[in-house]
Amino acid sequence: LGGLTQEGEPPTFHAWLSDNNNTEISSAVDRLQPNASPELQAGYMLPSGPMIATNFMALTQGLMAAINKDEQGAVVDGQPYVWSNTSDQGEALGLVDGMGKPTSCESWHAASLEHVGEFGFATQAPMVWTESGAAQFCSKALRLYCFQEG
C-alpha cells in the first residue's frame, strides 16, 4: 500500500461508505472497481499486514482478519467505530431511522444530532466489521475504511 501503480501513478483509494437518500443508492462495492477477472484481482492487506481478503469476492464474503490498524500501521485503540452504512456484502443497508431519514448521515453530508449513520467495528472480522446493526449520531467523528482500487 502507498506505492505507485504499474503505470507510475499514485494509487487511488475509495471509502467503504454507502448512502441511501430515497432516490439513489450508492453502495461501497460499486466504487471499489475490482478487476473484472478474479485471477487478476489483488488481495487486500493492512499496511503492515496481515492479509484481510485474498481478492474482491473474499472481501465481501468475510474477512480473514480485522481491519484494526490505521493507515500508518498503528493498532486502533480506544473507540473502534467506523462509518459505513454498508452490509458485509458491500451493499447499502437502505435503512431509515425513526424519523424516516436515511442512516447515512444524509448521504454523508450531515454532521449533526438530527441525523444518524450506521457503523461497524474495526476490531471485528466477521460481518460486524461493517454492519453493527446500530446507528450513531452524525456529529460523532468516526473512522473510515479506505481500500486501494484495483
Side-chain angles (χ1 to χ4, degrees):
L1 284 173
L4 295 177
T5 64
Q6 289 180 342
E7 295 81 30
E9 298 291 323
T12 301
F13 292 85
H14 297 280
W16 183 264
L17 288 173
S18 297
D19 61 44
N20 51 337
N21 59 19
N22 293 330
T23 59
E24 179 181 315
I25 294 181
S26 174
S27 298
V29 71
D30 295 335
R31 283 191 308 282
L32 290 179
Q33 303 173 4
N35 191 304
S37 179
E39 62 274 3
L40 297 177
Q41 291 176 8
Y44 294 91
M45 182 176 196
L46 296 179
S48 59
M51 175 77 68
I52 61 164
T54 55
N55 59 29
F56 182 75
M57 184 173 281
L59 179 68
T60 60
Q61 293 179 342
L63 301 182
M64 298 165 57
I67 305 174
N68 63 352
K69 295 180 183 174
D70 66 17
E71 68 278 10
Q72 305 299 319
V75 175
V76 171
D77 56 359
Q79 190 179 66
Y81 305 135
V82 182
W83 287 124
S84 72
N85 194 49
T86 305
S87 75
D88 62 335
Q89 301 296 303
E91 300 294 334
L93 291 174
L95 304 175
V96 294
D97 65 15
M99 306 274 292
K101 296 179 181 176
T103 57
S104 62
C105 296
E106 290 296 306
S107 298
W108 307 108
H109 294 289
S112 71
L113 289 172
E114 296 174 14
H115 302 93
V116 296
E118 290 274 336
F119 64 92
F121 292 101
T123 55
Q124 303 296 313
M127 76 177 216
V128 294
W129 73 274
T130 185
E131 180 183 359
S132 68
Q136 180 68 257
F137 288 113
C138 300
S139 60
K140 192 80 170 167
L142 302 184
R143 298 173 185 278
L144 297 176
Y145 293 124
C146 292
F147 291 91
Q148 185 172 342
E149 184 178 293

